[in-house]
Amino acid sequence: MSDLHSSISWRRPVAEAAVLAVLAALPLVSQDYLLLLTQVAVLALFTLSLELLVGQAGILSLGHAAFFGIGAYAAAFLALAGWEEPISGLLIAGGIAGLAGLAMAPLVLRASGLTQLMVTLCLGLMLHEAASRGRDWTGGDDGLSGFLNSPVLGLFEFDLFGVTGYLYALAVLGLCFAAFTLMRAAPFGTALRGIRQNPVRMAALGTPVGARLAQAYALSAAMAGLAGALMAETTQSVALEALSFQRSAEVLIVLILGGVGSRYGALIGAAVYVLARDWLSALSPEYWLGWLGLMMMAVVLVAPRGIAGLLARVRLPRARAKTEDRA
């Protein structure tokens, strides 16, 4: 068994680096689907933030789009105010969303179960309504557009084909995925999983449960804000839909589709969802949403733990068989 775990431990980083290299080299082969793949990267980052909240800390949310929208509007406001440098703008927007999450955490963490879902839903709806009525600031239903960002690192301009936007989104996703992996393996991540399974026992062991959950909520909000800011910078526009309940429901569906509790589930779920949505909408413009719902239902029935859970269930017996053959 130790040989199995050691072989998997060094193969995973190598495989992840190889996949990232292939994706980074994709513009050299074709530029036809770069805008679509940029959407996948943004949604994957947003889903990864919800995985931190739901899969690691066990905090339920139906209003996570609040932080996505805060990050998107913060990036747009900065650009419109003349702060056009994209990387610093991205970090500032993520920080603002994280502070908003830290402020909302006491309200959310006072509840649990369905009550917690209702609290997050209400907070998200209130923020959406405030943005809708604050038309002078947010543009209302028309959103914000017309802002530009300076070249990334002062060298790479955002082009019409989406090459720079795609590589920029891929780099941000890769860095956040690496940070999530380190956090998950650190004592902080172990404490979050312990709290999710048995908060009473973790408190008895001396873990500050409330503080850890508040930190997780703020980190998740900051990551969602990064995703929103990334969308704003790559599309150079922000719509009111970024704060909508539909956005919150969509990311929760993607997380369940990919697999709750798996860091790969966010990536797989986002890719499958966006590509299936694009293919079905082109195949059946009138009924694509119904076909998408049927497809999601079939996946959930076949793989209750998501696509990542299904792949892990298929892959692990093969890895064990190979180890036994070598022995």
Side-chain angles (χ1 to χ4, degrees), residues 281-327:
S281 61
L283 187 66
S284 178
E286 294 182 357
Y287 306 107
W288 70 271
L289 195 58
W291 290 113
L292 184 64
L294 287 175
M295 190 195 77
M296 299 299 168
M297 189 182 302
V299 171
V300 171
L301 290 175
V302 173
R305 295 182 59 190
I307 299 174
L310 179 63
L311 294 176
R313 207 167 57 199
V314 171
R315 181 171 50 89
L316 192 57
R318 292 181 179 177
R320 286 177 178 171
K322 288 182 181 179
T323 303
E324 292 173 358
D325 291 341
R326 290 175 184 172

Side-chain angles (χ1 to χ4, degrees), residues 154-165:
L155 299 172
F156 307 102
E157 294 185 1
F158 288 93
D159 56 289
L160 293 176
F161 298 101
V163 176
T164 299

